[in-house]
Amino acid sequence: MVKDGSSQVGTLMAALDFDTRSDPILPRSGMRVALSLEVASRFLGSSYDFVKTVAEGSFYRPMPRGHALGFH
């Protein structure tokens, strides 16, 4: 589906990041949720039209003796 010859990709992106972790490197509790949306269109100078979404999530529960259990 790649077009022959030269082509360009022009995109517009928006992102949201919600972070309540106790520490960004070694979290003991809290969560982080990140969402992003990227759109390419011929109206933005792109040779291709597409939409890309990415969602990430990490959740941390405190455990005994200073440890944490993380779900990603």
Side-chain angles (χ1 to χ4, degrees):
M1 303 285 292
V2 176
K3 297 179 180 180
D4 291 332
S6 64
S7 59
Q8 294 114 5
V9 177
T11 66
L12 184 63
M13 188 186 122
L16 175 68
D17 197 333
F18 181 71
D19 193 348
T20 64
R21 296 175 295 174
S22 57
D23 184 275
I25 305 298
L26 294 171
R28 302 283 190 263
S29 64
M31 68 176 182
R32 178 179 180 257
V33 177
L35 306 168
S36 68
L37 174 71
E38 185 175 9
V39 178
S41 170
R42 64 179 162 242
F43 300 112
L44 297 171
S46 180
S47 301
Y48 303 94
D49 295 322
F50 66 87
V51 175
K52 175 184 172 185
T53 58
V54 177
E56 301 176 50
S58 298
F59 305 90
Y60 299 91
R61 298 280 305 160
M63 299 296 286
R65 295 190 297 206
H67 295 281
L69 180 61
F71 298 96
H72 308 277

